Amino acid sequence: MYDHLNIEKKWQKIWEEKKINKTSEDKNKPKYYILDMFPYPSGTGLHVGHPKGYIATDIFARYKRLNNFNVLHPMGWDAFGLPAENYAIKNKVHPQEATDKNIAIFKEQLNRLGLSYDWEREINTTDPNYYKWTQWIFLQMYKKGLAYESYEPINWCPSCQTGLANEDLENGLCERCGTVVEQKPMRQWVLKITDYADRLLNDLDKLPDWEESIKEMQKNWIGRSEGAEIKFKIKNREDKISVFTTRVDTIFGCTYVVLAPENKLISNLKSNIKNKEEVEEYIEKAKNKTDLQRTDLNKDKSGVKLNGVKAINPFNNEEIEVYIADYVLNSYGTGAVMAVPAHDERDFEFAKKYNLEIRKSITSINNSEVNADKAFTEDGILLNSDNYNGLSSKEAREKMIDWLEESGHGEKKINYKIKDWVFSRQRYWGEPIPLVHCKKCGVVPVPEKELPVKLPNVKNYEPSGTGESPLAKIEDFVNTKCPKCGGDAKRETNTMPQWGGSCWYYLRYIDPKNNEALVDKQKEKYWSPVDFYVGGAEHATRHLIYARFWHKFLFDIKAVNYEEPFIKLQHVGLIIGEDGRKMSKRWGNVINPNDISDKHGADSLRVYEMFMGPFSQSVSWNTKGLIGARKFLDKVESFFSDIKEDEKEDEKILSLLHKTIKKVGEDIESFSFNTAVSAMMIFVNELVDFKNKNHFSPLKVDNLKMFIQILSPFAPHLSEELWERMNEKESIFKSSWPEYSSLLIQDKNINLVVQVNGKLRATIEVSADISEEEAFEVSSNNEKVKSYLEGKEIIKKIFVPKKLVNIVVKQ
RNA sequence: GCCGCGGUGGCGGAACUGGUAGACGCGCUGGACUUAAAAUCCAGUUGUAGCAAUACAGUGCGGGUUCGAUCCCCGCCCGCGGCACCA
């Protein structure tokens, strides 16, 4: 048992004094930027699951440095957000105070693990020198028309008392507190992410090193669909009902039109509607439903006919009924659909319930019977469709869209599921939105040289409950002069959401103290983009979409040199509690990494977390399993504390050393840390076995040093200590990754596998370059194999060089 | 419902491009050391039968392709993650 506490403390101190983790800016070397998703410094500190990704990137960073790269590997704090604010409300402590305290705890926990961050580049999103630039970016967006004021109904969390973006919901519940979210019309600032939808989608193809699963999630979230917008005339009126559909080809089966209850058109139609009371009652009822109730797929569809209103199908001039129903969403497309019950499940269900006509206009390609109890929703061949009869769905769509455009009845249209980003929060602990409202001039941006607009100190952090931020009550803050006319004006009091600061932080690490720009363009050119980004998959459709959006915008205004921020992306699999539940205070299954470091050592924790299983997979924590990692390090330490060299080296173990160097290097590159650790364990087991039998080391010290070098990214403290004990004066991390000899990793002999009819019957040690003839000869002369061949006719012989022989006999 | 990922000993998992299934680790069993325990070391550990050599079965289930399938194809079952009345 080695003294991990003293060794780890000793080297952490020396590394800090010698600034060993300071980023080198030597431009002659290739750069490598490896980044963790920075944490929110919560009040509960880190549990043992958080550092898994940090350990992996640290191993990778150290490996890259040993391979002569300039490595940028920084860390910082995503520190705005609700928990600090709620804590402030409860305890009347300024959120900054609580945040600073939490950061100190996090930092201490991270440092205990020997992570090689360059702390001189630490950033904090709540630092005015940082959020100055978050505000600056917002202003640029405002100037380009990408930030706009809107009064549309948005998601409102009655418990957090703030508006939320679509991305902040989980199954219709507030992602933070789990409260059912309401729809509330209110003034808000919105970012036009939909302008970038196409690029966000298409450029995913430029990211071959992103995991497919995450790209898929983004694609689904963006939700592009191609179709047509069709205008239906309203009988005896000038205005029209526009609908969006991806299936124009089914339009001859359209038997009615449906509007969402919130559709603005309805109030225009009032004079025509004969059953006003019934309609208004339905709209009122729909309004009072939560989103959750409305989108419950199991519920019955409901709706009301607009008596006195008829729409006209432009393709056949047929007059059809108009309904309102809450199965149509106002926020997607035009808030109205053409209903084709025969070919759409939802319309089918609705038509069945209200006994509406179901008219078939598509038949299946292979003429198989279409089930009458179900909508036929696939593509097929048109029928009952005038001169489109006989066309395939695809052909019909093209022709019909052409006709729509020629005749002015509609056009080709692309719709997205992604919505513009609701960007204002009615809370205190966020970046103030740098705008001023002037009675004369309207909305006026704060001049850039007046940034940052600092968060004022307040006494009460409670949300006002009126839909205004607590800042609205701070008169000193609110009342200002209009930058344009100099007259009395009021500041915008909404703040930015937590995702704001994290949209561009990776750029700031490159140049963290710059007062002139968010990042120096030359420095950015060298260090950007992030070569490797590691973090939780839960950010796939939030942070990772937002950050790509902002980055593309910054590229467009020429603030950065590259169009995509992250070249390679890898997600971390969670570490869950020993009981199989997510680690949380609530279940009492939280394990603090400090306790593990105290008892077993930080190096053991590092090795264990990498050894637990495949990096991207979630695994249960198991303190017993950690013992294995510790035993491994103990073995290393005890072997290296007492090396007796001998004249000759053991060839097999020397070869194994070089194979291990190769494997560990390749495994680090592919993030297969579990097998890298396993390979090192195998090597050490061989070393120890040999020594136990022969009482001297199978390898010379110079060769043994190579093993310590490949171990060093995983167990930096112990490796550094052993390196010193082997009389090295410079840090092991200033050395280089050992090169393996391709000659030494070649085996002279192999175990030839001999199969008879595909079943293993013998393994014979033979020379690796054995010929086919020789291989068959040795095999058929083998006693055991012989017994299987006796009296049988050989049909076929298969030979795989360096591997196996398979003899096929007639049964 | 749709999209993605996965299912291998008591447990975490390994297996190149279709070529010895179960590496490595935990746990367990037996032994050595010890007054004893812990630690450490040695041996064993997929199942069935057998003292053993060995034989047969075996990677969620059912089929298929192949000399040979954890890996490829077809049809299912189960688990996890994401999206979900998106027209």
Side-chain angles (χ1 to χ4, degrees):
Chain A
M1 289 283 275
Y2 70 95
D3 179 0
H4 59 264
L5 278 180
N6 276 322
I7 290 176
E8 287 170 5
K9 214 187 282 164
K10 167 184 161 188
W11 288 108
Q12 282 170 15
K13 199 173 153 226
I14 293 174
W15 291 334
E16 201 189 329
E17 282 167 6
K18 291 198 171 166
K19 298 196 172 190
I20 198 151
N21 298 324
K22 194 177 154 77
T23 312
S24 154
E25 294 265 11
D26 176 3
K27 296 275 150 56
N28 296 316
K29 285 191 188 176
K31 68 96 182 179
Y32 201 88
Y33 186 179
I34 178 156
L35 180 66
D36 296 297
M37 290 183 186
F38 66 163
Y40 173 78
S42 72
T44 48
L46 292 171
H47 66 63
V48 111
H50 295 111
K52 184 177 163 190
Y54 308 153
I55 293 166
T57 54
D58 189 62
I59 290 168
F60 206 90
R62 289 176 187 275
Y63 170 77
K64 281 286 177 187
R65 287 193 201 104
L66 291 171
N67 279 288
N68 201 36
F69 281 84
N70 270 347
V71 172
L72 179 56
H73 187 220
M75 185 43 100
W77 316 104
D78 187 14
F80 275 129
L82 271 183
E85 187 169 347
N86 290 337
Y87 182 84
I89 292 167
K90 220 169 156 187
N91 302 293
K92 303 276 174 204
V93 182
H94 194 286
Q96 188 74 64
E97 221 174 281
T99 301
D100 289 346
K101 214 157 119 198
N102 293 343
I103 287 175
I105 293 167
F106 265 60
K107 204 166 164 180
E108 191 267 339
Q109 285 183 301
L110 293 179
N111 281 331
R112 283 288 302 275
L113 296 169
L115 300 170
S116 61
Y117 293 121
D118 178 0
W119 286 111
E120 287 179 25
R121 289 169 185 260
E122 176 179 0
I123 58 162
N124 178 338
T125 53
T126 68
D127 176 353
N129 290 322
Y130 178 90
Y131 69 69
K132 167 181 173 177
W133 296 105
T134 312
Q135 291 174 335
W136 182 85
I137 298 170
F138 178 89
L139 280 186
Q140 309 313 308
M141 288 193 155
Y142 175 77
K143 286 174 187 167
K144 296 277 177 192
L146 286 168
Y148 63 95
E149 213 170 5
S150 158
Y151 295 83
E152 291 299 303
I154 57 158
N155 308 304
W156 170 263
C157 173
S159 161
C160 297
Q161 304 220 11
T162 182
L164 296 170
N166 243 20
E167 286 80 6
D168 296 325
L169 307 190
E170 255 170 27
N171 299 321
L173 306 178
C174 169
E175 183 253 344
R176 283 254 150 248
C177 66
T179 307
V180 177
V181 164
E182 301 164 355
Q183 293 301 303
K184 189 170 172 176
M186 55 187 296
R187 186 185 70 84
Q188 78 234 232
W189 285 96
V190 180
L191 299 185
K192 232 176 181 170
I193 193 170
T194 50
D195 270 14
Y196 280 74
D198 238 350
R199 281 164 73 191
L200 288 169
L201 182 71
N202 294 336
D203 289 355
L204 286 174
D205 292 337
K206 296 181 190 164
L207 300 169
D209 290 330
W210 273 42
E211 288 167 284
E212 245 358 272
S213 60
I214 294 197
K215 284 201 270 189
E216 208 53 46
M217 280 161 80
Q218 291 209 349
K219 279 181 195 164
N220 291 340
W221 189 261
I222 294 165
R224 180 184 197 270
S225 35
E226 224 176 275
E229 200 166 300
I230 308 169
K231 290 175 204 148
F232 283 66
K233 275 188 194 150
I234 305 169
K235 193 183 175 189
N236 299 329
R237 286 183 62 96
E238 286 304 303
D239 46 359
K240 293 174 178 173
I241 299 173
S242 281
V243 304
F244 173 73
T245 178
T246 54
R247 292 297 305 274
V248 214
D249 54 306
T250 64
I251 194 157
F252 285 88
C254 169
T255 50
Y256 57 95
V257 166
V258 195
L259 305 179
E262 300 87 350
N263 196 309
K264 293 229 169 73
L265 212 62
I266 296 167
S267 54
N268 300 342
L269 292 170
K270 264 194 182 143
S271 56
N272 300 61
I273 298 171
K274 288 185 181 136
N275 53 340
K276 270 187 210 123
E277 270 180 34
E278 195 189 356
V279 169
E280 268 160 24
E281 195 186 317
Y282 184 81
I283 293 172
E284 194 56 32
K285 242 162 83 189
K287 210 195 265 175
N288 289 332
K289 282 187 191 169
T290 65
D291 246 28
L292 212 57
Q293 290 167 320
R294 270 190 68 167
T295 57
D296 184 359
L297 288 166
N298 296 321
K299 75 149 207 231
D300 251 8
K301 297 215 174 354
S302 69
V304 172
K305 184 154 83 174
L306 300 182
N307 287 334
V309 181
K310 296 259 185 191
I312 298 165
N313 182 339
F315 278 84
N316 56 11
N317 293 316
E318 187 183 0
E319 287 180 16
I320 51 180
E321 304 290 355
V322 177
Y323 280 80
I324 57 170
D326 65 5
Y327 79 90
V328 174
L329 305 172
N330 196 42
S331 53
Y332 183 76
T334 59
V337 301
M338 62 177 216
V340 186
H343 305 296
D344 180 282
E345 280 170 31
R346 296 150 298 183
D347 299 338
F348 182 85
E349 205 185 306
F350 189 79
K352 275 274 175 198
K353 180 166 176 191
Y354 292 97
N355 222 358
L356 306 171
E357 189 193 347
I358 298 170
R359 190 191 299 162
K360 210 165 133 182
S361 67
I362 305 281
T363 185
S364 82
I365 288 171
N366 49 24
N367 261 326
S368 62
E369 255 320 289
V370 175
N371 191 341
D373 299 333
K374 241 174 81 188
F376 175 73
T377 57
E378 287 157 49
D379 274 9
I381 306 291
L382 274 74
L383 74 160
N384 303 327
S385 300
D386 275 9
N387 46 344
Y388 297 95
N389 281 340
L391 293 179
S392 73
S393 290
K394 196 172 169 240
E395 292 164 337
R397 283 196 287 268
E398 284 165 14
K399 290 221 161 124
M400 287 170 156
I401 290 173
D402 284 347
W403 181 82
L404 282 171
E405 290 186 341
E406 280 160 28
S407 64
H409 284 105
E411 59 190 0
K412 185 174 176 164
K413 178 92 195 202
I414 291 159
N415 259 319
Y416 298 95
K417 281 199 248 182
I418 194 170
K419 307 225 168 75
D420 277 342
W421 179 8
V422 174
F423 195 69
S424 43
R425 299 291 178 272
Q426 292 70 49
R427 302 285 308 213
Y428 171 74
W429 191 228
E431 301 88 343
I433 289 177
L435 296 172
V436 164
H437 298 268
C438 169
K439 268 193 188 129
K440 227 165 84 193
C441 314
V443 175
V444 182
V446 171
E448 283 176 24
K449 55 178 188 297
E450 286 176 27
L451 295 182
V453 175
K454 284 194 190 171
L455 257 183
N457 276 318
V458 299
K459 288 207 178 68
N460 292 305
Y461 305 96
E462 279 90 348
S464 65
T466 60
E468 272 193 310
S469 145
L471 294 181
K473 289 179 285 187
I474 316 296
E475 290 191 3
D476 285 355
F477 176 80
V478 175
N479 294 321
T480 185
K481 297 288 173 203
C482 170
K484 211 164 168 186
C485 70
D488 285 347
K490 290 192 185 304
R491 278 190 198 282
E492 171 64 51
T493 57
N494 281 327
T495 54
M496 299 188 197
Q498 192 176 4
W499 307 106
S502 60
C503 274
W504 70 282
Y505 75 107
Y506 53 92
L507 291 168
R508 192 61 176 173
Y509 287 130
I510 290 169
D511 193 11
K513 308 213 161 68
N514 194 333
N515 269 325
E516 308 306 315
L518 65 109
V519 61
D520 177 84
K521 269 198 89 178
Q522 284 311 308
K523 289 184 185 169
E524 196 267 339
K525 193 167 187 182
Y526 176 74
W527 283 112
S528 259
V530 174
D531 294 284
F532 202 169
Y533 196 23
V534 178
E538 70 272 20
H539 292 112
T541 56
R542 297 183 177 109
H543 161 62
L544 285 169
I545 282 194
Y546 292 149
R548 289 183 62 223
F549 163 43
W550 278 37
H551 195 90
K552 284 182 185 301
F553 170 73
L554 292 174
F555 175 78
D556 289 348
I557 62 167
K558 300 195 161 57
V560 297
N561 292 288
Y562 307 93
E563 212 177 339
E564 281 288 338
F566 317 118
I567 301 229
K568 184 172 176 169
L569 182 75
Q570 170 69 56
H571 84 273
V572 205
L574 290 178
I575 292 180
I576 50 178
E578 229 149 346
D579 53 1
R581 286 187 290 209
K582 212 170 153 179
M583 274 197 198
S584 129
K585 244 186 183 169
R586 192 170 152 205
W587 306 119
N589 57 359
V590 177
I591 295 179
N592 185 330
N594 282 2
D595 295 340
I596 300 294
S597 295
D598 284 344
K599 205 166 165 196
H600 306 277
D603 284 340
S604 306
L605 177 67
R606 292 172 62 114
V607 170
Y608 173 60
E609 292 208 358
M610 293 302 100
F611 183 62
M612 290 173 88
F615 181 72
S616 59
Q617 200 174 297
S618 59
V619 242
S620 288
W621 177 264
N622 180 358
T623 304
K624 269 186 186 161
L626 179 120
I627 303 296
R630 174 65 204 220
K631 279 188 194 165
F632 163 63
L633 294 178
D634 276 330
K635 261 190 198 175
V636 172
E637 195 270 345
S638 83
F639 180 91
F640 279 83
S641 300
D642 175 31
I643 303 166
K644 285 195 192 72
E645 278 190 84
D646 196 71
E647 284 303 303
K648 60 176 200 296
E649 290 193 294
D650 185 83
E651 252 177 61
K652 271 201 174 148
I653 294 186
L654 184 63
S655 170
L656 182 63
L657 170 69
H658 283 264
K659 283 179 189 165
T660 308
I661 293 168
K662 178 168 189 269
K663 172 134 183 83
V664 171
E666 287 168 355
D667 281 354
I668 292 174
E669 298 262 6
S670 64
F671 256 48
S672 312
F673 302 108
N674 54 335
T675 49
V677 172
S678 155
M680 291 191 284
M681 285 173 167
I682 292 169
F683 175 73
V684 170
N685 288 345
E686 289 294 323
L687 277 188
V688 172
D689 265 8
F690 186 96
K691 193 176 156 190
N692 286 345
K693 282 182 191 135
N694 301 289
H695 306 289
F696 61 87
S697 159
L699 298 177
K700 295 196 180 299
V701 170
D702 279 346
N703 281 325
L704 289 171
K705 279 180 181 167
M706 288 163 62
F707 172 73
I708 297 303
Q709 284 173 310
I710 62 169
L711 176 68
S712 69
F714 293 84
H717 309 90
L718 180 62
S719 304
E720 186 79 292
E721 174 72 17
L722 295 176
W723 190 247
E724 187 191 51
R725 289 191 204 161
M726 289 192 283
N727 297 318
E728 289 284 348
K729 298 284 173 277
E730 265 267 47
S731 165
I732 192 170
F733 300 107
K734 296 284 176 194
S735 71
S736 333
W737 188 257
E739 258 179 68
Y740 63 87
S741 147
S742 36
L743 204 70
L744 284 172
I745 62 171
Q746 275 168 28
D747 288 313
K748 290 199 184 87
N749 290 331
I750 53 142
N751 286 322
L752 184 73
V753 171
V754 185
Q755 298 179 339
V756 178
N757 285 356
K759 285 204 171 166
L760 173 73
R761 293 306 176 191
T763 58
I764 310 168
E765 191 176 337
V766 295
S767 157
D769 49 16
I770 190 169
S771 73
E772 188 166 349
E773 292 77 33
E774 284 175 302
F776 283 124
E777 191 170 337
V778 194
S779 308
S780 35
N781 283 337
N782 179 285
E783 282 305 318
K784 243 198 92 185
V785 178
K786 255 187 192 169
S787 67
Y788 284 94
L789 298 179
E790 214 146 278
K792 303 257 170 78
E793 186 195 339
I794 295 174
I795 308 172
K796 203 172 181 181
K797 288 177 177 179
I798 283 142
F799 175 68
V800 182
K802 297 190 180 189
K803 276 222 172 89
L804 91 160
V805 157
N806 187 11
I807 302 171
V808 188
V809 296
K810 208 165 186 179
Q811 291 292 25

